Amino acid sequence: MNLYLDAGILCALVVLLACPFSKWLARASWVTRSPRAAVALWHSVGMSATLATIGAGLCVASERFHAGFVGGVGELGEGVASGHPLQGLGLPDALGLTLAADVGVVLFSVVGVVILRTVLARARHRRLLNLLATPSQSRAGTLTLDHPSPVAYCLPGIRPRIVISSGTVGLLDQAELTAVIEHERGHAHERHGLVMLPMTGLTEPFRWIPYARLAPAEVAGLLEMAADDHAARRHDSTSLASALVAMSTSAAPPRCAFALASHDVNARVHRLLGPDRISRTAAATTGLLCAAALVAPLAVLFSS
Amino acid sequence: MAGLGELERRVMDVLWGSIGKPLTGREVADQIPDRAYTTVLTILDRLRRKNLVERSTEGKSHRFAANASRETYMAELMVEALGSVKDRRAVLVRFAAVVSAEEAVVLRQALEALPDEPGRKKP
């Protein structure tokens, strides 16, 4: 019945998930054999750590009621509802409440602001595309941008836009071009822009947390692999791999370091050319880890 | 709504074709003969609200000009598309990042090691 003990277990779970587990997951190459499940796992780890932190704060704050977690939080809620939330509050209770409230408010406001900025930037990009890109006659559902740099991308949104520059059309042969468009359709179809949204903006304010540093880049890389799989199912993986090599080796020289991103390209090409791109075992294992990550904090909270 | 986007593009093309010389609504409409004058005015107003077109008043008539050149907007798109900005705000999902010269050699070798398939371009 000791909620302080539960709070300790939850804090240990947060540290475990955000530090060693995240580092391990970022290094685990087998998860790339089921990229979509791996993306779900990164999200589950983030949700579980957030839940556990808020839960730990609430545990500390409601220990004084000696009514277990559910009862204690209930009494805490009654105090808030009756207008005396701070009545009888000692130092540990206050600290616990502060932790729970701060994590909730800071996380959701910081991430919320970045999400809003991203959505606005996407809207501006879409407005400019409407003026500068023309719907392609030969490739249905894509926009052509008249520019010599080889670029191909998907602008997420309610109606995602797939943009191919004239430089790309000149660089790739027909099979490669089809593969690239299928890859972008994968992003559009599986709503990768939406999947990526909660991850955007985590890195900069929370650089000191391994999860926040690793998860956005890892999820972005895994989503590329998921889109590669979408294209490989409908087209062939060799064309996609050769398109990837052509595009990544011929674009204009970068102005800043791309060490991380180039590592992604390398991994993707070798994955596309390799024998075992997808594995059901990897998907099942990842799914189990997802469930375990989500159930762990809830089990601790509701067992007391 | 797709028709509106198409029309906005045509109006901007007219304004971009007359950089440094703002046009009256009538002059813009004259270059888009298949659309009514009032339609063109509506489009100009929409573009003005989107901050893409600015309006100046000379006596009784309004004149319209593009806020920035086509090249400026294109550059803005390409900065995001090529990802040469520092922030990884994930505005868009791009197909491939640029790799270093050494990595390019390794990647090409990986492709060349594959057995030849008909229809595949030799790297």
Side-chain angles (χ1 to χ4, degrees):
Chain A
M1 286 299 271
N2 191 342
L3 287 182
Y4 286 151
L5 180 66
D6 284 355
I9 296 174
L10 287 172
C11 286
L13 179 68
V14 172
V15 172
L16 176 80
L17 286 175
C19 303
F21 185 78
S22 293
K23 287 181 183 168
W24 171 79
L25 186 56
R27 272 198 313 267
S29 58
W30 60 270
V31 294
T32 61
R33 289 199 201 137
S34 75
R36 283 190 290 183
V39 167
L41 180 55
W42 277 107
H43 276 104
S44 307
V45 167
M47 267 189 276
S48 171
T50 311
L51 212 65
T53 315
I54 295 175
L58 289 176
C59 277
V60 173
S62 50
E63 159 69 15
R64 67 195 157 108
F65 298 114
H66 300 290
F69 177 72
V70 179
V73 169
E75 299 228 16
L76 213 58
E78 272 171 37
V80 174
S82 65
H84 302 288
L86 302 180
Q87 208 166 51
L89 214 62
L91 181 65
D93 315 327
L95 283 177
L97 264 188
T98 313
L99 174 72
D102 280 4
V103 168
V105 171
V106 168
L107 203 61
F108 287 104
S109 59
V110 166
V111 172
V113 165
V114 180
I115 287 179
L116 185 69
R117 283 213 326 242
T118 308
V119 169
L120 290 177
R122 283 177 185 170
R124 163 130 187 116
H125 196 104
R126 185 168 317 113
R127 270 209 299 278
L128 292 181
L129 273 184
N130 283 345
L131 297 180
L132 295 168
T134 43
S136 166
Q137 303 295 324
S138 50
R139 294 171 297 276
T142 68
L143 297 171
T144 308
L145 200 56
D146 190 17
H147 197 280
S149 290
V151 293
Y153 60 89
C154 168
L155 179 71
I158 295 166
R159 271 199 310 137
R161 311 289 160 90
I162 294 167
V163 183
I164 308 285
S165 74
S166 49
T168 303
V169 177
L171 179 71
L172 302 180
D173 66 26
Q174 198 54 47
E176 291 169 332
L177 199 56
T178 313
V180 169
I181 291 169
E182 278 305 337
H183 170 101
E184 298 305 333
R185 286 207 179 112
H187 283 312
H189 186 72
E190 294 175 8
R191 302 275 158 196
H192 288 171
L194 207 58
V195 177
M196 201 53 210
L197 259 191
M199 293 287 171
T200 48
L202 266 188
T203 304
E204 271 170 46
F206 305 110
R207 227 180 152 82
W208 44 279
I209 307 174
Y211 176 84
R213 200 169 53 233
L214 296 167
E218 290 297 320
V219 169
L222 288 165
L223 290 177
E224 290 305 321
M225 292 179 180
D228 285 345
D229 288 345
H230 181 100
R233 277 197 301 273
R234 281 159 186 78
H235 205 60
D236 71 298
S237 51
T238 320
S239 299
L240 187 62
S242 68
L244 197 48
V245 172
M247 297 276 287
S248 61
T249 55
S250 74
R255 274 183 288 183
C256 62
F258 272 95
L260 195 103
S262 61
H263 169 77
D264 286 351
V265 171
N266 206 337
R268 282 167 63 197
V269 169
H270 285 102
R271 182 173 174 273
L272 281 169
L273 299 178
D276 40 17
R277 185 163 49 83
I278 308 169
S279 139
R280 273 167 198 236
T281 324
T285 314
T286 315
L288 278 178
L289 285 172
C290 270
L294 285 175
V295 165
L298 297 175
V300 174
L301 287 175
F302 290 100
S303 64
S304 54
Chain B
M1 291 308 274
L4 273 181
E6 167 71 23
L7 206 46
E8 285 183 2
R9 187 160 59 237
R10 286 174 66 190
V11 168
M12 284 308 286
D13 282 340
V14 170
L15 293 177
W16 279 326
S18 152
I19 290 286
K21 182 180 164 291
L23 302 175
T24 62
R26 176 62 69 190
E27 284 168 331
V28 177
D30 283 347
Q31 294 193 48
I32 306 177
D34 56 322
R35 295 296 175 128
Y37 172 60
T38 47
T39 311
V40 172
L41 278 190
T42 310
I43 296 293
L44 280 167
D45 202 49
R46 277 171 60 98
L47 290 168
R48 203 162 64 86
R49 267 183 284 134
K50 289 180 180 176
N51 211 17
L52 294 163
V53 163
E54 56 192 1
R55 189 178 72 179
S56 54
T57 312
E58 274 177 34
K60 274 185 181 174
S61 65
H62 295 307
R63 285 182 177 272
F64 299 89
N67 244 336
S69 70
R70 186 191 180 88
E71 289 69 32
T72 309
Y73 288 133
M74 185 64 102
E76 191 183 321
L77 279 186
M78 292 310 286
V79 162
E80 280 181 356
L82 283 171
S84 39
V85 271
K86 253 202 210 141
D87 64 345
R88 298 168 54 84
R89 263 187 306 168
V91 172
L92 45 88
V93 198
R94 77 183 68 81
F95 178 62
V98 181
V99 298
S100 69
E102 301 85 62
E103 278 171 318
V105 173
V106 176
L107 288 176
R108 291 212 180 89
Q109 278 168 353
L111 270 185
E112 277 165 22
L114 284 177
D116 254 350
E117 283 171 45
R120 191 164 64 82
K121 202 166 63 177
K122 283 299 270 183

